[in-house]
Amino acid sequence: GERPQLFSFLFLMLLVVMLERGQRGKKDMYFIPPLMLVWANMHGGFILGNLIIAIFLISKTIEALYFKRPFPWAFNITCAVSILSSFINPNGFGVVTQIINMEKYYSEGTQEMQSPYKMFFEKTGDMKFSYMMLVGLSALPLLKLLYRKRDAALGAGNYAVIYLLLLMGLWSSRYIIFFATAGA
């Protein structure tokens, strides 16, 4: 069958890599707007991409203001254009409400939309050790951030994205792949 969410898995990984490189001034960040345009016309997971872009945009702005660094104009403009380009789709901005309404429908009737803990304790009794290991290892960047405050300037957005995806993966099994790819 058709599985368009596979594109979201691929596009999220590409997006994270491009954002990481874009923070360091690499020019491949200019491919993010076309990526978001294509993603928005292939699968509704682009909303997660927009959220991640917004996190990076906000964190880079705060870092520039708080640590008195040069303002990242090119990075921020590229991020804003990327978010706007994702709404060039047949439904425009209305796609957000459509996705939210569909999420309610899917979460009730689809097993992979259930929490992995709910499935573990109530249904299957099977939880992947590798996933639990990733969850445990996800505490390491947070501990590093708390221990060495100056590292906050090296990527608060990166930490925010990792923990957002971790929470999503704990909320629903479907989102584990996003945490696993970006977290790695």
Side-chain angles (χ1 to χ4, degrees):
E2 297 162 355
R3 305 286 288 175
Q5 67 267 28
L6 296 176
F7 289 107
S8 285
F9 304 153
L10 170 67
F11 291 153
L12 176 88
M13 195 64 230
L14 290 173
L15 175 67
V16 169
V17 168
M18 287 183 210
L19 286 168
E20 288 278 332
R21 292 176 53 85
Q23 290 184 107
R24 295 185 304 243
K26 303 291 183 185
K27 301 296 183 204
D28 54 350
M29 74 176 176
Y30 297 119
F31 290 107
I32 298 174
L35 172 75
M36 293 307 296
L37 177 66
V38 171
W39 190 357
N41 286 283
M42 295 188 84
H43 188 254
F46 80 94
I47 297 294
L48 177 59
N50 281 345
L51 181 60
I52 290 172
I53 291 170
I55 289 171
F56 273 88
L57 188 144
I58 291 167
S59 71
K60 291 308 283 183
T61 301
I62 291 171
E63 288 172 15
L65 297 173
Y66 183 76
F67 294 105
K68 307 282 193 252
R69 294 188 176 156
F71 197 78
W73 287 106
F75 183 80
N76 284 5
I77 290 171
T78 302
C79 287
V81 168
S82 299
I83 291 171
L84 291 174
S85 70
S86 71
F87 291 106
I88 302 173
N89 63 64
N91 298 307
F93 290 100
V95 73
V96 176
T97 56
Q98 290 178 350
I99 290 172
I100 291 170
N101 291 336
M102 286 175 49
E103 187 75 19
K104 293 175 189 174
Y105 168 76
Y106 284 120
S107 64
E108 292 174 4
T110 307
Q111 183 176 356
E112 68 184 29
M113 294 301 291
Q114 304 299 316
S115 166
Y117 292 106
K118 182 178 181 181
M119 291 191 324
F120 176 70
F121 290 115
E122 294 179 5
K123 297 185 182 194
T124 65
D126 179 34
M127 186 177 288
K128 299 289 185 200
F129 174 74
S130 57
Y131 175 67
M132 293 308 299
M133 189 173 74
L134 268 176
V135 170
L137 290 174
S138 68
L140 294 177
L142 182 61
L143 292 173
K144 180 182 176 191
L145 179 64
L146 294 173
Y147 178 69
R148 298 176 58 186
K149 301 231 187 276
R150 66 178 181 182
D151 286 345
L154 299 176
N158 298 4
Y159 293 119
V161 166
I162 288 172
Y163 291 109
L164 168 73
L165 295 174
L166 171 64
L167 290 174
M168 289 175 64
L170 294 173
W171 181 264
S172 170
S173 296
R174 172 173 262 182
Y175 302 121
I176 291 172
I177 187 69
F178 294 118
F179 168 68
T181 55

